[in-house]
Amino acid sequence: MDTLETIGRIGIVPVVVLDDPLHGAPLAEALRDGGIGCAEFTLRTPAGLGALRAAAAVDGFIAGAGTVLSADQVDAVADAGARFLVSPGYAAGVNVRARERGLTMIPGIATATELQRAREDGYTHLKVFPASALGGPAYLDALAGPFPDVRLLPSGGVSADNLGDYLRRPTVFAGSGSWMVPRAQIAAGGFGAIRDLARACRELCDAVRGPA
């Protein structure tokens, strides 16, 4: 099973923002033990890269990098052990470097024009950001009309309250959100609580799609 298939089976990609790289491994373990075996470690803070490196060493866990905005960042996260990359937008330099490094890339799009360009470039799995502001599940339904063969990862405004609405769409391969990895809880070392949040999220995904 390749990385995209695994993410689709899991059904949710936690978006992690943290402030201490030492929290990367226990966070990954908490998510894995709660039934979510992947996460996107964003580069929004200086701790992101170190946390990614630590999480990538955790057995049974797929560590990805988020907010990847440049080719240099692609090299950095590849060297840190990232298995997949997520970008908020569509940037040729980032996409090309990710392919050169052999990494799974999930580029970001917001419009039909961007989606069509990404499809022509060979991408079948795309992040839609910011999904809620763009119109939520109804917007994804509109995109599915002319592009039924593309699979989408909604991000931005996805929550426990609306995840099910997204996952019921056949074009959605997974959702992306941060409610199960609250930054303050990570900073406080509350990994047991995060495990429980992950388990609740796993149960929600399973209720919509069946057991992973």
Side-chain angles (χ1 to χ4, degrees):
M1 185 177 295
D2 68 17
T3 299
L4 288 173
E5 289 176 328
T6 301
I7 292 173
R9 177 180 57 79
I10 295 169
I12 183 71
V13 179
V15 179
V16 178
V17 182
L18 42 61
D19 302 289
D20 186 340
L22 295 178
H23 288 153
L27 175 63
E29 291 167 353
L31 289 171
R32 179 200 62 195
D33 294 347
I36 301 178
C38 70
E40 165 194 340
F41 288 81
T42 70
L43 302 184
R44 301 177 195 175
T45 68
L49 189 62
L52 167 65
R53 182 177 292 106
V58 173
D59 289 339
F61 190 82
I62 298 175
T67 323
V68 179
L69 305 178
S70 70
D72 287 345
Q73 287 182 324
V74 173
D75 287 333
V77 301
D79 293 343
R83 293 268 299 280
F84 67 94
L85 309 183
V86 184
S87 182
Y90 197 80
V94 172
N95 299 340
V96 169
R97 186 61 62 82
R99 281 180 169 170
E100 291 173 347
R101 295 299 302 262
L103 297 175
T104 296
M105 181 73 204
I106 306 174
I109 61 97
T111 67
T113 298
E114 293 169 345
L115 194 159
Q116 186 165 340
R117 178 187 174 193
R119 185 175 177 276
E120 288 180 348
D121 288 344
Y123 291 99
T124 59
H125 291 68
L126 300 166
K127 172 179 175 176
V128 179
F129 178 81
S132 180
L134 289 168
Y139 184 69
L140 272 60
D141 288 343
L143 290 176
F147 306 108
D149 56 335
V150 175
R151 296 296 173 260
L152 304 174
L153 175 74
S155 184
V158 178
S159 68
D161 292 333
N162 61 25
L163 177 62
D165 290 337
Y166 283 108
L167 292 181
R168 290 184 185 95
R169 268 65 189 177
T171 54
V172 171
F173 74 98
S176 174
S178 58
W179 72 91
M180 77 298 293
V181 284
R183 188 172 179 178
Q185 192 73 264
I186 297 171
F191 300 111
I194 290 172
R195 182 198 60 227
D196 293 343
L197 288 169
R199 184 171 293 125
C201 186
R202 171 80 273 132
E203 291 171 355
L204 175 57
C205 292
D206 291 348
V208 175
R209 290 189 167 180

